[in-house]
Amino acid sequence: MIKIDLITGFLGSGKTTFIKKYASYLLKKGMNIGILENDFGAVNVDMMLLQDLMGDNCELEMVSGGCDADCHRRRFKTKLIAMGMCGYDRVIVEPSGIFDVDEFFDALDKWYEIGNVIAIVDAKLSEDLSAEADYLLASEVADAGCVLLSRSQEATVEEISSTKEHLNRALGQIQCRRCLDSEIPVVYTAVSDPVGAGLADEEGNSVGNITGTSDKLPVEEQLKMIRDLMPDAKKIGILYTTSEANSVSTIKEYKELAENYDFEIVDSGINTVADVEMAAKDLASKVDCISNLTDNTVVSALQTVIAAADEKNIPVFGSEIEQVKSGCLASMGIDYIALGKQTGEMAAKILKGESKAEEMPYEVCSGASLYVNTAVADKLNFELDQATVDGAAEVFDEITVE
């Protein structure tokens, strides 16, 4: 039987981002997959965001609005049955955020066996949800094998605890006995500044039953790399989201270390992704290069930043390997796959009873590696000396935008 995965979550919770990464992972394993978008509306934006996954081993299907709810459910079940006869190794279903999860299980029939059921919930969940929204939220969480809190790197311990309490209240209102125990250990990953986010104290110790890993950027190594590659440069531009604690703390470190390498940091703060284009163009006109952080908002608009820099023929330096693949010239960055393994090892110790989260200080990804993209250098007529290329951990000769 075909394994079927259900990924649920409200609009903006991050379920489309998750499913895109999950589907990419399955495709890299050689699987033939189908993705069903169930959208009770006229336009499916999520479907458009997943278009670049389409290929010989991935097909996208959609059940959109235009009928009443009962008709929509019948069409959904018909589509599931049809997909069950297409020879997929796995089918992933992403509901619209207004779909009753119980109806999903009713539609499985003999065609599928349940794989993963994952509910994605914003770690900074709003307290002001309607009764109907709370019911739908409880439905998603009650049936989930895994509840994943998104944007946890931006949330404080208090906000995460508040979200858990909200979920438990919603579950109680539908007489569900499931409870997300506040004593369940939390393991976070890729939080640049756990202390600033309130996840650890100044000594790095846990402030509760929580631990994890930090993707703190190797700022000094990045500055040294930029100086080596651009000996005459004076000003480095950095674009960041003012509400992201991780970005604010990294900007501070850049400014503290910059004078050691005879640089001036010119920073530009934004609030939303809509601000990126104007801010990037203005910043590119004032600096010799741009150094990109792991700022969620800015990274989501990285191509806009690169386009602004291209107009001024200045390079953008990334903060990790994927940004270099996507068009940044170079990076002294961390390896997120290695960071994920490091986080998994911490979680394994907790699950095996070898350690307790509250007793484990957070860990930082050790070391930084040089990544360069020769295609970007060619585009900018930027000369990369052979020693730099030979010394890189990985060299890319094309620009790959996912």
Side-chain angles (χ1 to χ4, degrees), residues 261-299:
Y261 297 89
D262 196 25
F263 283 126
E264 177 187 347
I265 301 301
V266 181
D267 60 275
S268 179
I270 62 165
N271 295 312
T272 69
V273 71
D275 302 331
V276 172
E277 183 174 10
M278 183 178 296
K281 287 183 176 181
D282 180 63
L283 187 63
S285 68
K286 299 175 179 178
V287 298
D288 300 301
C289 65
I290 293 174
S291 188
N292 203 48
L293 309 182
T294 52
D295 186 292
N296 291 313
T297 305
V298 178
V299 170

Side-chain angles (χ1 to χ4, degrees), residues 50-69:
L50 296 172
Q51 285 291 333
D52 58 352
L53 289 172
M54 288 184 66
D56 293 339
N57 295 316
C58 180
E59 295 183 359
L60 303 181
E61 299 285 352
M62 179 176 68
V63 179
S64 59
C67 57
D68 60 49

Side-chain angles (χ1 to χ4, degrees), residues 98-142:
I98 59 169
F99 184 67
D100 191 329
V101 179
D102 292 334
E103 295 164 2
F104 171 77
F105 292 111
D106 291 342
L108 291 182
D109 287 336
K110 63 182 180 181
W111 303 100
Y112 300 95
E113 61 176 314
I114 298 173
N116 298 308
V117 181
I118 301 173
I120 299 179
V121 180
D122 191 332
K124 303 173 75 170
L125 183 67
S126 171
E127 287 289 331
D128 301 323
L129 294 183
S130 66
E132 180 182 11
D134 268 343
Y135 170 79
L136 291 168
L137 180 67
S139 168
E140 293 173 356
V141 172

Side-chain angles (χ1 to χ4, degrees), residues 141-331:
V141 172
D143 288 306
C146 172
V147 180
L148 174 65
L149 297 184
S150 63
R151 295 205 302 157
S152 59
Q153 74 275 20
E154 300 175 23
T156 63
V157 172
E158 290 75 18
E159 287 172 323
I160 292 174
S161 296
S162 176
T163 295
K164 287 183 180 180
E165 291 171 4
H166 188 152
L167 295 176
N168 284 334
R169 287 197 305 272
L171 289 168
Q173 289 167 1
I174 62 169
Q175 285 78 52
C176 176
R177 288 182 289 180
R178 184 176 195 177
C179 178
L180 303 180
D181 191 344
S182 60
E183 294 306 309
I184 293 176
V186 174
V187 181
Y188 56 83
T189 188
V191 176
S192 299
D193 184 11
V195 175
L199 302 175
D201 62 23
E202 293 293 339
E203 285 72 43
N205 298 313
S206 166
V207 295
N209 199 16
I210 184 169
T211 188
T213 57
S214 169
D215 62 346
K216 181 180 181 298
L217 297 181
V219 173
E220 185 147 22
E221 290 90 339
Q222 181 87 344
L223 287 167
K224 184 178 184 303
M225 175 201 67
I226 296 174
R227 174 51 71 212
D228 289 342
L229 294 179
M230 302 184 71
D232 298 324
K234 294 296 182 183
K235 296 182 179 181
I236 299 175
I238 302 179
L239 200 61
Y240 74 104
T241 307
T242 56
S243 60
E244 278 206 30
N246 295 331
S247 298
V248 172
S249 63
T250 306
I251 288 279
K252 181 181 178 182
E253 185 176 4
Y254 259 100
K255 290 184 175 181
E256 290 173 349
L257 295 173
E259 62 182 33
N260 296 340
Y261 297 89
D262 196 25
F263 283 126
E264 177 187 347
I265 301 301
V266 181
D267 60 275
S268 179
I270 62 165
N271 295 312
T272 69
V273 71
D275 302 331
V276 172
E277 183 174 10
M278 183 178 296
K281 287 183 176 181
D282 180 63
L283 187 63
S285 68
K286 299 175 179 178
V287 298
D288 300 301
C289 65
I290 293 174
S291 188
N292 203 48
L293 309 182
T294 52
D295 186 292
N296 291 313
T297 305
V298 178
V299 170
S300 70
L302 178 58
Q303 294 309 311
T304 301
V305 177
I306 291 174
D310 284 349
E311 289 181 5
K312 298 297 181 180
N313 200 48
I314 63 171
V316 177
F317 293 98
S319 54
E320 45 90 17
I321 185 172
E322 295 301 325
Q323 293 180 20
V324 177
K325 288 182 182 179
S326 298
C328 291
L329 175 63
S331 169

Side-chain angles (χ1 to χ4, degrees), residues 15-62:
K15 63 183 185 297
T16 304
T17 300
F18 175 87
I19 201 170
K20 191 170 184 178
K21 291 182 179 294
Y22 178 50
S24 296
Y25 165 77
L26 295 176
L27 290 171
K28 287 178 181 177
K29 292 186 68 175
M31 289 190 179
N32 183 27
I33 64 174
I35 300 175
L36 176 58
E37 276 281 341
N38 173 45
D39 183 44
F40 193 56
V43 178
N44 194 326
V45 176
D46 291 343
M47 184 77 167
M48 290 185 266
L49 295 174
L50 296 172
Q51 285 291 333
D52 58 352
L53 289 172
M54 288 184 66
D56 293 339
N57 295 316
C58 180
E59 295 183 359
L60 303 181
E61 299 285 352
M62 179 176 68

